[in-house]
Amino acid sequence: MIPSRALVAFLLGLLISGCASLPGHVERIESTALSNTDETRLAKAVRPGTSAHPGKSGIHPLPVAEDAFAARIVLTQLADRSLDLQYYIWHGDTTGQLLWEAIWKAAERGVRVRLLLDDANTGGLDPTLAALDAHPNIEIRLFNPFANRGFRAGDFATDFARVNRRMHNKSFTADNQVSIVGGRNVGDEYYGANMEVGFQDLDVMAIGPVVREVSREFDLFWNSASAYPAASMLPPADSDSAARLREKWDQVHKSPEAQRYIEAVRQTPLLRQLAGNQVDFEWTTARVIHDNPAKVLDRTDRKDLQMLPLLTEALGKPQNELDLVSPYFVPGQGGTKTLTTLARNGIKVRVLTNSMSATDVSPVHAGYSKYRKELLQSGVTLYELKPGIAVPPPDRDDDKSRGLPGSGSRASSAASLHAKTFAVDRNRIFVGSFNLDPRSAHLNTEMGVIIDSPALAGRLAQQLDMAIPKAAYQVRLKPDGGMEWIDRTPQGETIHTTEPGSGALKRGWINFLEILPIEWML
């Protein structure tokens, strides 16, 4: 049979594009976070709190989607000297464009902007990134970039071992005075602007000493060998590129969807609290932990480059309880052994992850499902978030412990868990980008903050006590050794004997994926 012309063209394109390579010599001008920011507006705003709590960091959780976006916009507007932004994903949708416009306006008034983006999800954005990078006060670097800008499959075909490793970190720092760290990327699904798809996520806003740690982490990645100046990878912007950006932003502001979202953000109490310097911070000790950026270039799985041992040490050995929230939960044999040993020794271990019908990555669910029975047999409690469930946040003047971690204010038809948070003994809690899976442990780089906070850790435990059993299926063993899913609703309990909301075809696909040797990639 003669191959189709489309196949021939594809193979020819793959062959040609596979010849592309990264620049051999790249000039990287080293830069670090600005330290002389004590007279900025943000420094003056946080000074009363930091002065009254020497050595402590102020932590404010951002579980509500619109609050998380409002915080970033306000920090961008208030920044006087610098913005350091590090993200795995930055979409060119409504919220992505609004944030780009905000940092452009900051740059126009003299703010130095450093934007470090992982290159895995920048497809189609090269003209926008080049136009932003052309601004004299904006510098963009692409982490572990694709040599083939138009046909990325070429890199996967010829340089898979490298491009399979990504920078999954997320941080946002203004004037080296205020940072936001957590699970949210930049895109409508993370900030409640998409009614079709929505992620339930969690960030924390921090002030005090921990901000300097976030800045050191950013500098380490910014100056690393894997961070390529955008100008070394992208075609130069033309003379009309800035005008096209402004035209695009004007179009965004005119769209009814953006207008509704902007108004919703304006109505968030957090926006008023930020404007009036009335944000309620918890003052405690906090520390940043992160992978070494050299991890993406390493092929030996060196533990000294990895964050997981630091995370385990920082959280400490549980004495009573371990609560884990991970949208992509693939414990593997080692993790399963650790959790089952804890449970058999009397430690209360609870896990919240996505159900088959809620997950956005089927292979990950296949990687998780093969360990369910072993976990359940040892006494681990498993909850799987129901599809489309976005528990409305409680009254903003009330205790937020009744909402899910990362609750959005509006439900979407395909809501999915995206928060990554772990708590030990209702005393210490981690919030960051790390998933409990092999990819986070061995392939991607990650970061997060460990917080000594009975209030925040206790809130997660209360959610697992009260809200989550109603918003998630509880997986349970049957007397015959099979599994069942308990669906608790106001009308009572329903017991499912197969994965709820899934058809035979999807279950068969998951069963097939379980036998493939792909767990190391998940």
Side-chain angles (χ1 to χ4, degrees):
M1 179 182 295
I2 299 176
S4 70
R5 282 179 286 183
L7 178 59
V8 171
F10 174 82
L11 294 174
L12 183 60
L14 187 63
L15 178 63
I16 295 173
S17 64
C19 297
S21 60
L22 294 176
H25 174 72
V26 175
E27 182 180 1
R28 296 179 180 86
I29 300 176
E30 184 170 328
S31 64
T32 57
L34 300 183
S35 58
N36 56 340
T37 61
D38 290 343
E39 296 306 313
T40 61
R41 287 176 292 174
L42 286 171
K44 293 174 181 178
V46 306
R47 188 170 296 147
T50 55
S51 297
H53 304 87
K56 301 290 187 181
S57 295
I59 303 294
H60 181 86
L62 297 171
V64 178
E66 288 87 351
D67 283 353
F69 185 76
R72 287 165 169 84
I73 285 290
V74 170
L75 291 180
T76 304
Q77 293 171 342
L78 291 178
D80 290 328
R81 297 292 312 283
S82 65
L83 288 167
D84 291 334
L85 318 178
Q86 179 180 17
Y87 282 100
Y88 172 60
I89 293 173
W90 193 306
H91 289 317
D93 52 16
T94 296
T95 55
Q97 294 291 344
L98 290 174
L99 266 177
W100 271 328
E101 181 187 30
I103 67 172
W104 180 277
K105 289 180 177 179
E108 288 283 88
R109 62 176 188 268
V111 176
R112 184 193 75 173
V113 178
R114 296 189 297 172
L115 176 56
L116 179 59
L117 294 177
D118 184 86
D119 197 39
N121 296 283
T122 61
L125 294 177
D126 283 5
T128 297
L129 298 178
L132 290 166
D133 186 62
H135 193 290
N137 289 327
I138 299 176
E139 183 179 359
I140 297 177
R141 293 189 180 181
L142 301 175
F143 193 87
N144 202 18
F146 283 71
N148 299 285
R149 306 309 299 169
F151 191 71
R152 297 188 175 208
D155 284 73
F156 281 111
T158 62
D159 201 6
F160 179 79
R162 179 182 67 83
V163 298
N164 185 45
R165 294 169 175 259
R166 308 310 320 170
M167 180 192 76
H168 196 236
N169 312 36
K170 294 109 176 165
S171 72
F172 187 113
T173 302
D175 282 340
N176 205 8
Q177 296 291 333
V178 185
S179 289
I180 298 174
V181 174
R184 289 185 178 94
N185 294 293
V186 177
D188 289 354
E189 62 268 40
Y190 301 97
Y191 298 114
N194 189 326
M195 293 300 289
E196 298 301 320
V197 177
F199 284 129
Q200 299 190 60
D201 221 320
L202 180 63
D203 300 320
V204 292
M205 182 165 54
I207 59 178
V210 73
V211 176
R212 310 301 184 270
E213 295 186 25
V214 176
S215 292
R216 284 194 290 271
E217 179 274 343
F218 182 91
D219 288 344
L220 181 66
F221 277 78
W222 178 261
N223 295 308
S224 71
S226 294
Y228 284 67
S232 70
M233 299 300 306
L234 309 181
D238 59 45
S239 59
D240 297 327
S241 60
R244 286 196 296 272
L245 283 181
R246 294 189 183 96
E247 181 181 354
K248 175 64 176 177
W249 296 332
D250 287 341
Q251 293 173 354
V252 169
H253 280 281
K254 291 176 183 177
S255 73
E257 294 81 6
Q259 291 174 4
R260 284 193 294 269
Y261 180 70
I262 292 170
E263 183 57 30
V265 171
R266 286 191 182 125
Q267 297 303 316
T268 60
L270 181 65
L271 194 64
R272 295 191 294 273
Q273 293 165 9
L274 287 164
N277 195 23
Q278 298 175 331
V279 178
D280 183 24
F281 287 96
E282 179 185 0
W283 294 95
T284 184
T285 56
R287 57 176 289 203
V288 171
I289 57 174
H290 58 84
D291 284 304
N292 189 306
K295 177 182 177 182
V296 302
L297 301 176
D298 177 60
R299 298 295 181 268
T300 62
D301 206 29
R302 283 172 50 189
K303 301 301 180 186
D304 62 317
L305 300 178
Q306 296 177 7
M307 163 180 162
L308 182 57
L310 300 176
L311 176 61
T312 303
E313 179 185 0
L315 282 174
K317 185 177 180 180
Q319 301 300 311
N320 299 297
E321 292 184 10
L322 175 62
D323 293 327
L324 306 174
V325 176
S326 181
Y328 311 118
F329 177 61
V330 185
Q333 293 181 355
T336 299
K337 181 179 179 180
T338 297
L339 295 178
T340 56
T341 299
L342 287 172
R344 290 192 175 105
N345 287 336
I347 306 299
K348 185 178 182 180
V349 180
R350 296 182 292 185
V351 178
L352 172 65
T353 190
N354 279 310
S355 63
M356 180 187 289
S357 50
T359 187
D360 60 325
V361 185
S362 292
V364 168
H365 189 80
Y368 149 68
S369 59
K370 69 176 73 172
Y371 297 105
R372 277 187 300 204
K373 281 190 179 181
E374 187 175 352
L375 291 166
L376 292 170
Q377 288 167 351
S378 71
V380 173
T381 301
L382 295 180
Y383 292 110
E384 298 178 359
L385 189 71
K386 299 175 186 177
I389 291 294
V391 176
D395 188 295
R396 304 300 179 89
D397 296 322
D398 197 0
D399 180 5
K400 289 187 179 181
S401 65
R402 290 181 287 127
L404 277 173
S407 300
S409 66
R410 299 189 294 173
S412 64
S413 59
S416 181
L417 182 69
H418 197 259
K420 308 104 168 50
T421 182
F422 325 128
V424 170
D425 294 335
R426 305 193 181 211
N427 188 42
R428 295 175 303 282
I429 189 168
F430 167 86
V431 178
S433 67
F434 190 94
N435 289 298
L436 290 168
D437 61 17
R439 175 162 289 277
S440 282
H442 303 291
L443 297 176
N444 292 349
T445 67
E446 310 285 354
M447 71 173 296
V449 58
I450 298 282
I451 309 163
D452 292 325
S453 173
L456 292 179
R459 182 179 299 171
L460 176 60
Q462 290 167 12
Q463 290 164 341
L464 284 159
D465 289 338
M466 303 297 294
I468 290 171
K470 300 174 185 177
Y473 307 113
Q474 182 178 353
V475 190
R476 210 163 56 184
L477 285 176
K478 297 192 298 183
D480 63 3
M483 291 185 298
E484 60 186 13
W485 287 257
I486 312 304
D487 184 0
R488 298 180 176 93
T489 69
Q491 292 73 41
E493 289 188 359
T494 300
I495 297 178
H496 302 271
T497 55
T498 58
E499 305 247 14
S502 63
L505 187 61
K506 186 169 187 178
R507 292 196 298 272
W509 172 241
I510 295 291
N511 290 338
F512 170 71
L513 291 173
E514 282 187 16
I515 65 176
L516 297 181
I518 59 174
E519 184 175 302
W520 65 278
M521 294 175 54
L522 301 178

